[in-house]
């Protein structure tokens, strides 16, 4: 799970009308593509992703929470659901895309949407940033399992796993929750629309904390540590597994096979995560007018808007495909899923015929 945009409330989703060299895509094309991607493709991926992650949670709960790897994967599925719901939230779509940076509703409805907007922001970012840490935790768990198998049970325990997850989640929820108070709700008359609209404006706290905002941004950018640790850990694990497999080529113990399969599945999750991180890092090497990590600037270029939306779709895909990884690589997971689906199908068939 990765988060693309810097946390900032959009002042306006404004299709720039500048006729300069940076406007590679026309306003009309940008508007059409934005509507297709944001109101069609992204929600569709989100729905599929939520269903897949629910399936993952059901199967993993069936396997039990005595294994730390199951705890991490269940947590990852839950956090992926949080991101998919938060990013595709109705308040965000109404404010950013439909209203162009306004809640064009009555004051009570606009105030409710304002509150929900920030509830989903916390879901998106607070829980989403926790999700970014999960692949790193998975990598560390596998490093201990591969390099210190005899001490694994002493070092990595369910209680410690839950504690680390809980502390990480609390930290990011408090951090993102605090920044929500940088903004306030205003209901004012809009001369252009000739109606009163709800706006999200900067609060006094924002200007009071203005000098500390760079520090907060540094904290956000520290999330780059997670993919770095993950990639180095995965390389170390792969090398160690290959060396060990050569030494144990004659062993046929089911325990060895099971451990290998678990490691293979978890590595696949981490590698998929790293692939997405690599793709979404590309815009950071592009010229500034093509940078796509946020459309919350006052005047983003059309190309930047499209790249931003495409990057978020890639993130949504990354938050949706882990179930397919589990089904494809883990026979135990696949068999349990088939068993659950078969049982439910049989129950439905009996109830329909009775």
């Amino acid at each position: 799970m990765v988060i693309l945009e810097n946390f900032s409330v959009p002042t306006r989703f404004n299709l720039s009308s500048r006729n300069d060299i940076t406007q590679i895509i026309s306003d009309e094309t940008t508007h059409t593509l934005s509507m297709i991607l944001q109101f069609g493709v992204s929600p569709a991926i989100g729905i599929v992703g939520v269903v897949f992650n629910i399936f993952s949670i059901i199967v993993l709960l069936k396997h039990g929470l005595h294994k730390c790897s199951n705890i991490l994967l269940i947590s990852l599925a839950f956090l992926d659901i949080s991101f998919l719901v938060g990013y595709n939230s109705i308040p965000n779509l109404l404010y950013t895309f439909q209203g162009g940076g306004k809640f064009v509703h009555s004051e009570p409805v606009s105030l409710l949407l304002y509150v929900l907007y920030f509830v989903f922001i916390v879901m998106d970012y607070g829980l989403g940033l926790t999700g970014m840490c999960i692949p790193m935790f998975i990598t560390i768990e596998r490093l201990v399992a591969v390099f210190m198998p005899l001490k694994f049970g002493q070092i990595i325990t369910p209680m410690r796993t839950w504690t680390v997850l809980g502390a990480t989640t609390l930290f990011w929820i408090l951090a993102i929750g605090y920044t929500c108070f940088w903004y306030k709700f205003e209901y004012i008359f809009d001369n252009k629309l000739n109606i009163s609209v709800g706006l999200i404006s900067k609060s006094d706290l924002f200007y009071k904390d203005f000098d500390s905002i760079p520090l907060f941004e540094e904290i956000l950018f520290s999330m780059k540590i997670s993919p770095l640790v993950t990639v180095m850990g995965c390389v170390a694990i792969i090398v160690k597994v290959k060396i060990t497999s050569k030494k144990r080529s004659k062993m046929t113990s089911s325990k060895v096979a099971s451990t290998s399969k678990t490691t293979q599945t978890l590595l696949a999750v981490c590698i998929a995560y790293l692939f997405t991180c690599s793709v979404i890092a590309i815009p950071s090497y592009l010229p500034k007018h093509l940078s796509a990590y946020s459309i919350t600037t006052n005047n983003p270029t059309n190309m930047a808007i499209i790249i931003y939306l495409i990057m978020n779709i890639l993130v949504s895909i990354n938050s949706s495909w882990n179930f397919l990884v589990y089904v494809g690589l883990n026979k135990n997971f696949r068999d349990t899923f088939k068993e659950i689906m078969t049982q439910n199908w049989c129950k439905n068939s009996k109830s329909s015929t009775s």
Side-chain angles (χ1 to χ4, degrees):
M1 164 72 213
V2 272
I3 299 295
L4 284 178
E5 52 184 325
N6 298 331
F7 176 65
S8 176
V9 175
T11 54
R12 251 184 119 78
F13 182 72
N14 204 8
L15 296 183
S16 175
S17 59
R18 294 178 302 158
N19 293 317
D20 57 32
I21 193 171
T22 64
Q23 296 299 76
I24 302 174
I25 304 178
S26 67
D27 290 350
E28 294 75 13
T29 302
T30 301
H31 179 77
T32 301
L33 289 175
S34 298
M35 294 302 102
I36 293 173
L37 294 175
Q38 191 65 39
F39 288 92
V41 177
S42 184
I45 294 173
I47 292 172
V48 173
V50 168
V51 173
F52 278 179
N53 282 299
I54 290 174
F55 284 158
S56 296
I57 292 173
I58 292 173
V59 174
L60 291 168
L61 284 175
K62 184 82 171 178
H63 289 171
L65 298 178
H66 58 282
K67 292 180 62 176
C68 296
S69 57
N70 285 350
I71 295 174
L72 291 171
L73 293 181
I74 287 177
S75 300
L76 180 61
F78 173 78
L79 295 168
D80 282 342
I81 290 174
S82 176
F83 167 76
L84 292 170
V85 173
Y87 175 67
N88 293 290
S89 69
I90 292 177
N92 176 49
L93 295 177
L94 292 178
Y95 185 83
T96 308
F97 292 92
Q98 185 192 59
K102 305 180 183 72
F103 289 123
V104 288
H105 306 279
S106 65
E107 185 171 4
V109 174
S110 295
L111 179 58
L112 175 62
L113 290 172
Y114 166 82
V115 173
L116 292 176
Y117 183 99
F118 283 98
V119 170
F120 286 114
I121 283 290
V122 173
M123 289 178 60
D124 185 346
Y125 290 89
L127 298 180
L129 288 168
T130 305
M132 281 190 66
C133 299
I134 298 293
M136 179 175 65
F137 295 154
I138 290 175
T139 304
I140 294 172
E141 189 262 358
R142 283 298 95 188
L143 282 170
V144 177
V146 171
F147 284 90
M148 293 182 287
L150 298 180
K151 296 183 179 180
F152 177 80
Q154 300 174 1
I155 300 174
I156 307 295
T157 66
M159 179 60 69
R160 289 177 181 175
T161 303
W162 284 118
T163 300
V164 170
L165 289 172
T168 305
T169 303
L170 181 62
F171 171 80
W172 284 116
I173 287 179
L174 291 177
I176 299 301
Y178 178 81
T179 62
C180 292
F181 292 99
W182 285 349
Y183 303 90
K184 63 181 180 179
F185 175 78
E186 291 184 331
Y187 198 71
I188 63 175
F189 186 80
D190 188 293
N191 293 321
K192 292 183 179 180
L193 299 178
N194 200 31
I195 58 173
S196 294
V197 297
L199 295 178
I200 300 176
S201 304
K202 292 181 174 64
S203 67
D204 294 337
L205 182 62
F206 174 84
Y207 297 103
K208 182 180 179 181
D209 292 345
F210 187 78
D211 292 336
S212 64
I213 291 177
L215 174 61
F216 181 79
E217 291 178 344
E218 287 298 322
I219 294 175
L220 285 178
F221 288 131
S222 69
M223 293 308 299
K224 294 179 180 179
I225 296 174
S226 179
L228 290 176
V229 172
T230 303
V231 69
M232 291 187 294
C234 286
V235 171
I237 291 170
I238 292 172
V239 171
K240 177 65 175 179
V241 168
K242 286 187 175 295
I243 294 174
T244 303
S245 63
K246 289 182 178 180
K247 293 180 179 179
R248 300 182 178 180
S249 59
K250 296 182 180 181
M251 296 181 64
T252 58
S253 170
S254 59
K255 182 177 181 180
V256 173
S258 175
T259 303
S260 176
K261 187 60 66 175
T262 299
T263 301
Q264 182 182 1
T265 303
L266 295 175
L267 279 175
V269 172
C270 292
I271 291 172
Y273 159 80
L274 290 172
F275 170 78
T276 304
C277 287
S278 300
V279 173
I280 66 175
I282 293 175
S284 64
Y285 299 99
L286 297 177
K288 288 185 177 180
H289 66 273
L290 297 180
S291 179
Y293 290 114
S294 177
I295 57 171
T296 60
T297 57
N298 290 327
N299 199 23
T301 64
N302 292 339
M303 179 61 75
I305 292 171
I306 298 303
I307 292 178
Y308 164 84
L309 294 174
I310 292 175
M311 292 297 100
N312 272 285
I313 286 175
L314 289 176
V315 174
S316 297
I317 293 173
N318 179 72
S319 299
S320 305
W321 64 15
N322 285 335
F323 170 77
L324 300 178
V325 173
Y326 306 151
V327 170
L329 295 180
N330 195 305
K331 185 178 183 300
N332 192 22
F333 184 98
R334 185 167 58 249
D335 291 342
T336 303
F337 178 68
K338 289 179 180 179
E339 178 185 346
I340 293 173
M341 296 302 294
T342 302
Q343 289 176 351
N344 290 334
W345 184 82
C346 292
K347 289 180 180 178
N348 292 332
S349 298
K350 290 179 181 180
S351 60
S352 63
T353 55
S354 59

